[in-house]
Amino acid sequence: MKNALTVDLEDWYHICDVEGCSDPRNWDSYESRVIRNTEKVLTLLRRYKTKATFFVLGYIASREPELILEIKSEGHEIATHGFYHRRIFELTDQEFGDDVARSVDVISSITNERVIGFRAPEWSIRKVTPWALGTLRKLGIIYDSSMVPLTGMGERDFPFYPCIFNTEYGEIWEFPLTTTRFFRENLPFSGGLPLRMFPYFYVISKLNRINREKRPAMVYIHPWEFDMEQPEIDLPLSRKFMHYFNIKATPGKIEGLLRHLSFAPIREVLGLNG
Ligand SMILES: [Zn+2]
């Protein structure tokens, strides 16, 4: 059973809804650490001969086209994370479409390939953005990977496993964030803060159980989670915890998962190759 391995390719300061660093006009003033951090991720993937989907921020692609070509040349899938890392529910349909179209243009002009996958910044697809999947499909996106079946972060009745949605522009796949039942809620555990918090045996046993049910799971990482020396942004306490807590645990846990499980890019897991 192949699971989906995904990398949201952004820099350490790409955090939504924070005064200063969420504003693209300020981005030039931050140190770029994305190349060296992505190299760490690529080195790890090379060691375990594993290919992933990289959801690339259009802004990064426009500034670091060589990095995108290097990722592609190692056999990874290049998809989009939007251009300016803006949350969908803060945009109109038109603004969202413009942002994604701009990212698709810059990425496909570098890779010379169609961009067929999208992930929203901060999993920001919601019921209040019912147009989002149609807008993506209209732009040629074949799958989205932005839904979280969780109250607060997404919507509780979003799907648990890959499925197809119908839009007025055609069908689109959804590969939601993997969660597990926990009492009456669903719990994320396969990336970000939850992966850093839960013991490794808990994470691997949950993933194994999903695979035993013949279902693929999805793991996600950010290059900045491999950067122990990154400058710390002044965030409110709860968000500071979410962003930085136990960040040193990420590389070891990801390496364990690469050793114990089988992974592939989303397009391969969904059978969308060629
Ligand atoms: Zn992001």
Side-chain angles (χ1 to χ4, degrees), residues 8 10 14 81 85 120-122 222:
D8 292 359
E10 61 195 31
H14 288 127
H81 194 37
H85 208 252
E122 295 193 357
H222 300 91

Side-chain angles (χ1 to χ4, degrees), residues 132-249:
L133 291 181
T135 301
L136 290 170
R137 188 64 190 82
K138 190 164 73 171
L139 293 170
I141 300 294
I142 305 293
Y143 74 83
D144 171 66
S145 182
S146 310
M147 290 189 179
V148 181
L150 188 70
T151 316
M153 211 161 128
E155 302 282 354
R156 195 162 167 171
D157 54 0
F158 276 168
F160 283 86
Y161 297 109
C163 62
I164 292 175
F165 280 89
N166 284 304
T167 78
E168 59 183 304
Y169 301 98
E171 293 181 340
I172 185 167
W173 276 93
E174 173 62 37
F175 200 133
L177 175 63
T178 299
T179 53
T180 184
R181 273 316 257 186
F182 186 76
F183 295 104
R184 301 178 69 183
E185 253 303 352
N186 307 318
L187 205 65
F189 65 96
S190 62
L193 174 67
L195 176 68
R196 289 182 246 139
M197 265 175 59
F198 291 128
Y200 181 75
F201 72 85
Y202 178 85
V203 174
I204 191 85
S205 70
K206 291 288 177 192
L207 291 171
N208 276 326
R209 192 151 128 197
I210 290 168
N211 287 173
R212 274 200 304 276
E213 291 167 3
K214 303 269 179 287
R215 303 222 193 231
M218 185 248 285
V219 167
Y220 69 96
I221 52 186
H222 300 91
W224 51 260
E225 290 177 294
F226 287 69
D227 185 355
M228 304 314 132
E229 285 96 44
Q230 65 187 295
E232 209 171 280
I233 289 166
D234 191 20
L235 298 169
L237 210 57
S238 63
R239 297 198 70 196
K240 186 171 260 185
F241 183 73
M242 193 147 181
H243 204 75
Y244 298 115
F245 177 75
N246 206 17
I247 199 167
K248 63 182 187 307

Side-chain angles (χ1 to χ4, degrees), residues 29 34 48 62 66 83 87 110 112 119 125 143 152 159 164 170 188 194 197 204 213 216 218 225 244 250 261 270 273:
S29 63
V34 71
Y48 290 93
S62 68
E66 296 294 325
F83 198 92
R87 297 186 291 192
I110 294 166
N112 236 339
R119 166 155 311 142
I125 197 162
Y143 74 83
I164 292 175
M197 265 175 59
I204 191 85
E213 291 167 3
M218 185 248 285
E225 290 177 294
Y244 298 115
T250 305
L261 296 170
L270 294 179
N273 277 331

